[in-house]
Amino acid sequence: MQNEKADVQLSTIIRRIKAWETDNFMQRVPPDFTSLFHQMAYDSLRQTSHFRVEHTCIGCGLCAKKCPVHAIEMRRGRPVWVKEKCTMCLGCLHRCPKFAIQYGASDRHGQYQHP
Ligand code: SF4
Ligand code: SF4
């Protein structure tokens, strides 16, 4: 049942991407308590203060280069999150060649990159 719902939603998303539709997709309308709760949780998760860099960082700058919202700057050879919130794509964490970026209490999860 859930997969059927997801298929419908995916079809809509694919159609909109193919049509190059643009909008403020980060904006959410909280019509009820559940949505409000999700919005608050999402806002909390998006805080870049959750990220940290381990000593294994080699200062390659890939994380800053790949961040889609330019939330990372390289300063003295280390990444610094310069925005309070980001999109939480986790591209920086998953693309780091040294696995030096961690989020929250995590330290040894896997890395994934879309081929
Ligand atoms: S991608 Fe990883 S190794 Fe490269 S600068 Fe960022 S944290 Fe450091
Ligand atoms: S999670 Fe994505 S948006 Fe956030 S800092 Fe990393 S690359 Fe940028």
Side-chain angles (χ1 to χ4, degrees):
M1 187 64 181
Q2 286 300 320
N3 283 346
E4 289 169 13
K5 282 185 185 175
D7 284 344
V8 173
Q9 289 177 341
L10 281 171
S11 297
T12 303
I13 292 167
I14 290 167
R15 177 182 53 73
R16 295 183 74 175
I17 290 173
K18 284 184 174 175
W20 290 88
E21 281 187 33
T22 57
D23 203 343
N24 182 5
F25 297 108
M26 297 300 290
Q27 189 176 28
R28 293 180 174 195
V29 181
D32 55 36
F33 176 76
T34 308
S35 296
L36 191 60
F37 174 77
H38 281 289
Q39 181 68 53
M40 288 168 63
Y42 179 60
D43 278 348
S44 172
L45 289 171
R46 288 175 54 209
Q47 290 178 26
T48 54
S49 57
H50 294 307
F51 288 105
R52 66 179 193 284
V53 185
E54 295 182 334
H55 69 279
T56 50
C57 169
I58 55 173
C60 69
L62 189 64
C63 50
K65 189 177 167 190
K66 293 291 184 181
C67 177
V69 294
H70 310 292
I72 305 172
E73 283 180 9
M74 294 302 292
R75 294 181 185 168
R76 297 185 182 190
R78 301 275 290 186
V80 175
W81 278 261
V82 293
K83 290 186 177 175
E84 190 181 333
K85 292 179 180 173
C86 70
T87 63
M88 271 297 289
C89 70
L90 295 181
C92 53
L93 184 151
H94 289 290
R95 285 177 178 272
C96 173
K98 302 304 285 184
F99 201 175
I101 296 178
Q102 302 298 333
Y103 179 87
S106 70
D107 57 2
R108 285 301 131 201
H109 48 75
Q111 275 184 308
Y112 171 79
Q113 293 176 17
H114 189 283

